[in-house]
Amino acid sequence: MRKVTVALIGAGLRGVNYLNYALQHPHELEVVAVAEPNHERREYFKALHNLPDEMCFVDWDALFAETRLADVVLICTQDKLHFEPVGKALKAGYHVLLEKPMSPDAKECVEMGEMAKSYNRIFSICHVLRYTNFFSTIKSLLTSKVIGDLMSIQLNENVGYWHHAHSFVRGNWSRKSESSPMILSKSSHDLDILYWLAGASCTHVASFGSLSHFISDQAPEGAPHRCLDGCPVADECLYYAPKQYLTEDTGWPTAAISNDSSYEARLKALQEGPYGRCVYHCDNDVVDHQVVNLEFENGVTAGFSMNAFTRDISRTIKLMGTKGEIRGAMEKNEIEILHFGSGKVERISFETAGGHAGHGGGDMGLIKDFVKLVRQGGINDGLTAASHSVQSHLMAFAAEKAREEQCVIDIKEFAASLMAE
């Protein structure tokens, strides 16, 4: 079968990581173009995939001005820059794979869901967790009724104290106005998984949470606005920037603070850029802990917790059925099945631990499946089709509205109000 060709819009860490698949499987996928405004990132990606100058563009308008260059456009721009290139790509005849979340604007998500139905193209969202061995195994166990009828789910996203500080206090996702509410930017994966495992549409959402710790009131006495400006608690502070970014490890998250990984460049980034700020004196406004309760049409209920105050970055889950329970820890790739009555306990483990990098194998699984989908022409058959993904996005927007207004949100009424607008 012929190889699939792809053009990347947004050559940041996510886009580069996804398209490592093309380097590993050149007979299946070939990168033929890139649009990226940052010169250093564009040049790096150009060299990585041996692209000619004429196939490297400063922005997506220049790329779309050309006759269709590839089968697929992979869009990995910042969240608020998704809507326009999606519309242009579909109109130009490209299949589209879009990084999550679809948009920080609920109405744009609904509109993209409608686009997915109106264009005869494949349009999928990067909900990579569905492609992990961990969650696909749990889905299979539920489908096989191993624990009888599913009654309830408890899912925890343990963000990790240092990860939260990097991404949601100092980083690109620290302010709702510049990215999106944290329940969307961080946990659209998790709400999608709950929707998928529950096996029905969500009907009602309630939520509570706040920004409680990463605020000026919690700053140590005398702490300056920048870590390198003589912090009196540098030795004991968990978030002292040089401890995180001036080590020998220049991989993620350190790679995010500067395109130049040299010590000098990283030091300058901490002296002048956002990642050198004291975490208690930033302009962040997203929550640092939140809980969400959900009810689905089939009677399944779910509780979800997103919390910055954990040592590890991990996801843990418990699913309760009429005949047993399933317990799992994604990063350990361990699943336990507890059967009622007999007391029998089954354990499933996978050879390769999931880990944070690559979302437990989900990143490469996503690209592999999308390439297969394009080859086979499965227009509406994608596991993460945009027309379906709108549901989990609406769950996130409803959760934020419920948190802010301290009320229970009816999803159908919420969606109808968006359509009316």
Side-chain angles (χ1 to χ4, degrees):
M1 299 179 71
R2 70 174 183 87
K3 70 172 67 175
V4 171
T5 55
V6 59
L8 173 65
I9 296 177
L13 295 177
R14 296 300 295 139
V16 171
N17 289 344
Y18 283 135
L19 292 180
N20 280 334
Y21 188 91
L23 300 176
Q24 298 165 8
H25 306 276
H27 60 290
E28 294 183 25
L29 183 65
E30 180 184 3
V31 179
V32 298
V34 63
E36 166 57 54
N38 183 285
H39 176 76
E40 292 176 325
R41 289 182 177 180
R42 189 170 64 251
E43 288 298 306
Y44 173 77
F45 191 80
K46 169 188 170 183
L48 194 64
H49 292 275
N50 194 30
L51 299 177
D53 289 340
E54 62 269 21
M55 299 298 275
C56 299
F57 304 91
V58 174
D59 56 45
W60 64 68
D61 283 331
L63 187 150
F64 291 128
E66 303 288 332
T67 304
R68 189 161 65 92
L69 301 174
D71 300 308
V72 174
V73 166
L74 170 59
I75 299 174
C76 293
T77 57
Q78 286 294 309
D79 303 349
K80 62 182 179 181
L81 301 177
H82 285 175
F83 184 75
E84 184 180 342
V86 164
K88 290 187 174 183
L90 290 171
K91 187 175 181 180
Y94 290 94
H95 299 299
V96 174
L97 181 60
L98 175 65
E99 174 63 327
K100 63 85 189 168
M102 296 171 74
S103 169
D105 185 309
K107 287 177 284 187
E108 287 187 353
C109 291
V110 172
E111 286 186 49
M112 281 192 272
E114 294 303 310
M115 287 183 198
K117 297 173 183 177
S118 61
Y119 287 95
N120 192 33
R121 312 304 291 167
I122 300 167
F123 179 18
S124 294
I125 309 301
C126 296
H127 286 308
V128 296
L129 294 188
R130 293 196 185 197
Y131 294 94
T132 63
N133 284 336
F134 180 79
F135 282 112
S136 60
T137 298
I138 290 174
K139 180 65 173 177
S140 178
L141 292 171
L142 293 176
T143 302
S144 301
K145 300 284 188 179
V146 169
I147 59 168
D149 294 326
L150 177 65
M151 293 286 108
S152 192
I153 309 172
Q154 293 176 354
L155 176 61
N156 298 311
E157 180 170 19
N158 308 301
V159 178
Y161 68 98
W162 60 268
H163 180 202
H164 185 90
H166 170 78
S167 296
F168 304 101
V169 177
R170 291 168 168 147
N172 292 330
W173 297 273
S174 62
R175 293 184 59 78
K176 289 191 290 185
S177 61
E178 296 174 6
S179 57
S180 59
M182 191 174 168
I183 195 67
L184 181 69
S185 62
K186 185 70 182 83
S187 299
S188 57
H189 279 319
D190 303 271
L191 296 178
D192 175 72
I193 281 295
L194 288 172
Y195 167 50
W196 188 46
L197 296 180
S201 294
C202 183
T203 57
H204 295 89
V205 178
S207 182
F208 303 91
S210 63
L211 171 59
S212 302
H213 182 67
F214 296 98
I215 54 178
S216 58
D217 288 352
Q218 298 294 313
E221 185 176 352
H225 282 244
R226 286 191 169 274
C227 293
L228 290 172
D229 288 348
C231 182
V233 295
D235 290 341
E236 59 262 33
C237 181
L238 294 171
Y239 306 102
Y240 184 59
K243 291 179 182 177
Q244 177 71 74
Y245 304 113
L246 297 183
T247 70
E248 294 181 359
D249 184 358
T250 58
W252 186 87
T254 299
I257 76 168
S258 172
N259 291 319
D260 181 349
S261 63
S262 69
Y263 181 89
E264 292 75 19
R266 287 181 283 138
L267 177 62
K268 183 178 181 181
L270 296 191
Q271 292 169 334
E272 301 176 1
Y275 294 97
R277 296 177 297 171
C278 170
V279 294
Y280 302 104
H281 291 306
C282 290
D283 58 352
N284 55 302
D285 64 5
V286 299
V287 301
D288 50 27
H289 64 294
Q290 185 170 356
V291 295
V292 183
N293 287 332
L294 308 110
E295 182 180 52
F296 296 87
E297 283 184 347
N298 57 2
V300 171
T301 57
F304 172 64
S305 173
M306 172 184 70
N307 205 304
F309 308 105
T310 63
R311 185 192 66 178
D312 299 324
I313 298 174
S314 64
R315 285 180 171 91
T316 54
I317 192 169
K318 181 178 179 181
L319 304 101
M320 292 150 280
T322 54
K323 295 182 180 179
E325 300 174 37
I326 297 172
R327 300 175 183 175
M330 179 181 168
E331 276 59 38
K332 295 180 180 178
N333 261 350
E334 295 175 352
I335 295 172
E336 200 173 51
I337 307 165
L338 289 73
H339 296 271
F340 296 164
S342 68
K344 180 182 177 182
V345 177
E346 296 180 71
R347 291 180 175 85
I348 301 171
S349 60
F350 307 104
E351 292 183 5
T352 304
H356 180 76
H359 294 98
D363 287 4
M364 294 301 99
L366 166 82
I367 302 300
K368 180 179 181 179
D369 188 69
F370 192 78
V371 168
K372 181 180 178 182
L373 203 62
V374 172
R375 282 177 162 178
Q376 296 179 348
I379 302 301
N380 295 311
D381 298 334
L383 185 59
T384 60
S387 56
H388 303 304
S389 185
V390 173
Q391 166 75 199
S392 58
H393 282 71
L394 289 179
M395 289 160 58
F397 288 112
E400 185 65 3
K401 183 178 176 67
R403 183 189 72 84
E404 292 179 335
E405 299 181 7
Q406 296 188 345
C407 63
V408 176
I409 301 295
D410 182 302
I411 292 285
K412 287 185 177 179
E413 291 180 1
F414 180 63
S417 67
L418 292 174
M419 294 300 289
E421 292 178 17

